[in-house]
């Protein structure tokens, strides 16, 4: 699985460094580190990470707000590593973000499995969003074509099949998509 970019956010540079070297050894690349929530937010401007690992608490905040910001600004899979006494509160707060929350201390195998799972979920969601957007675009185009067809029925007293055929024929003759022909018809008659 190609992981794309990973951003590790940890207030402890040694902890971030050990996670970074482990992920690089496992084939994840590139791996970036930020040592505060604000530094991570600045990095969101320059990159769209595929995976975000946040080890809480951070020097400038608990980390919950960063998860919400990351959820809004990126499509990254999010893994949060928290102290056991904060797990319940974090799970309740972050439930809608889809972040995976693990208790400290974390072992290598658990982190790797969770990271792979987060990426798998992220990839599935990205594919679903793409399919949804494609369907929405096709439905929107269909609505415009239908509007043009009914405009021809109304303005030129055509039957519905005649209007549909006219749009199809004009699109083929002009080597244009039907949506473009439909938009021109709407502009012309309305």
């Amino acid at each position: 699985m190609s992981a794309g970019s990973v951003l590790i956010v940890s207030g402890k540079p040694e902890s971030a460094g050990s996670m970074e070297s482990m992920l690089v050894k496992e084939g994840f690349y590139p791996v970036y580190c930020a040592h505060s929530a604000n530094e991570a937010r600045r990095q969101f401007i320059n990159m769209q990470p595929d995976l975000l690992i946040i080890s809480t608490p951070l020097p400038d905040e608990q980390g919950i707000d960063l998860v919400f910001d990351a959820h809004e600004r990126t499509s990254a899979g999010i893994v949060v590593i928290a102290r056991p006494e904060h797990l319940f509160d974090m799970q309740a707060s972050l439930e809608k973000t889809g972040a995976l929350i693990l208790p400290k201390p974390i072992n290598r195998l658990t982190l790797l499995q969770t990271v792979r799972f987060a990426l798998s979920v992220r990839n599935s969601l990205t594919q679903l969003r793409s399919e949804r957007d494609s369907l929405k675009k096709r439905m929107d185009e269909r609505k415009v074509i239908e509007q043009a067809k009914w405009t021809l029925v109304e303005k030129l007293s055509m039957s519905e099949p005649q209007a549909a055929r006219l749009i199809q024929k004009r699109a083929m003759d002009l080597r244009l998509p039907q949506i473009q022909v439909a938009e021109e018809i709407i502009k012309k008659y309305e």
Side-chain angles (χ1 to χ4, degrees), residues 37 54-67 80-83 86 90:
I54 303 170
S55 181
T56 65
L58 298 167
D60 51 351
E61 69 176 64
Q62 178 62 30
I64 291 173
D65 290 339
L66 178 60
V67 173
V80 178
I81 304 168
R83 292 182 180 146
H86 297 140
M90 286 204 139

Side-chain angles (χ1 to χ4, degrees), residues 3 5 7 13 37-39 54 61 67 87 109 145 161 182 186:
S5 61
L7 177 59
N38 286 328
E39 185 181 345
I54 303 170
E61 69 176 64
V67 173
L87 277 183
L109 182 59
I145 293 168
I186 292 168

Side-chain angles (χ1 to χ4, degrees), residues 8-100:
I8 299 168
V9 187
S10 175
K12 296 182 178 167
E14 64 280 355
S15 174
S18 70
M19 279 191 273
E20 178 183 15
S21 62
M22 179 203 56
L23 290 170
V24 169
K25 282 180 192 169
E26 292 294 326
F28 293 86
Y29 185 80
V31 180
Y32 302 96
C33 293
H35 301 298
S36 70
N38 286 328
E39 185 181 345
R41 286 183 182 95
R42 282 191 300 275
Q43 289 198 26
F44 291 161
I45 294 168
N46 300 320
M47 67 179 290
Q48 285 288 310
D50 295 307
L51 177 68
L52 183 61
I53 301 172
I54 303 170
S55 181
T56 65
L58 298 167
D60 51 351
E61 69 176 64
Q62 178 62 30
I64 291 173
D65 290 339
L66 178 60
V67 173
F68 282 118
D69 287 349
H71 179 69
E72 285 180 23
R73 293 188 199 178
T74 74
S75 62
I78 303 171
V79 176
V80 178
I81 304 168
R83 292 182 180 146
E85 63 269 20
H86 297 140
L87 277 183
F88 184 75
D89 290 340
M90 286 204 139
Q91 286 172 335
S93 297
L94 300 175
E95 187 175 20
K96 291 183 177 156
T97 65
L100 301 171

Side-chain angles (χ1 to χ4, degrees), residues 53-179:
I53 301 172
I54 303 170
S55 181
T56 65
L58 298 167
D60 51 351
E61 69 176 64
Q62 178 62 30
I64 291 173
D65 290 339
L66 178 60
V67 173
F68 282 118
D69 287 349
H71 179 69
E72 285 180 23
R73 293 188 199 178
T74 74
S75 62
I78 303 171
V79 176
V80 178
I81 304 168
R83 292 182 180 146
E85 63 269 20
H86 297 140
L87 277 183
F88 184 75
D89 290 340
M90 286 204 139
Q91 286 172 335
S93 297
L94 300 175
E95 187 175 20
K96 291 183 177 156
T97 65
L100 301 171
I101 304 165
L102 298 172
K104 287 181 180 184
I106 186 86
N107 71 47
R108 178 184 169 281
L109 182 59
T110 301
L111 181 60
L112 278 174
Q113 288 175 327
T114 304
V115 160
R116 286 193 174 107
F117 181 72
L119 283 171
S120 174
V121 169
R122 176 214 179 260
N123 292 339
S124 294
L125 284 173
T126 300
Q127 182 178 353
L128 285 172
R129 283 185 189 118
S130 174
E131 289 171 9
R132 177 203 61 202
D133 293 347
S134 174
L135 282 172
K136 183 180 179 335
K137 181 181 177 206
R138 287 189 0 230
M139 286 174 56
D140 291 345
E141 287 178 356
R142 191 76 232 148
K143 285 178 188 175
V144 172
I145 293 168
E146 286 295 312
Q147 182 183 354
K149 182 173 68 172
W150 288 106
T151 298
L152 290 172
V153 167
E154 182 182 304
K155 302 287 184 184
L156 301 181
S157 302
M158 293 182 157
S159 69
E160 182 183 351
Q162 287 173 325
R165 180 69 188 128
L166 180 97
I167 293 170
Q168 290 170 347
K169 184 169 180 355
R170 195 173 290 171
M172 283 190 300
D173 291 348
L174 298 173
R175 289 183 166 77
L176 294 173
Q178 285 187 34
I179 181 70

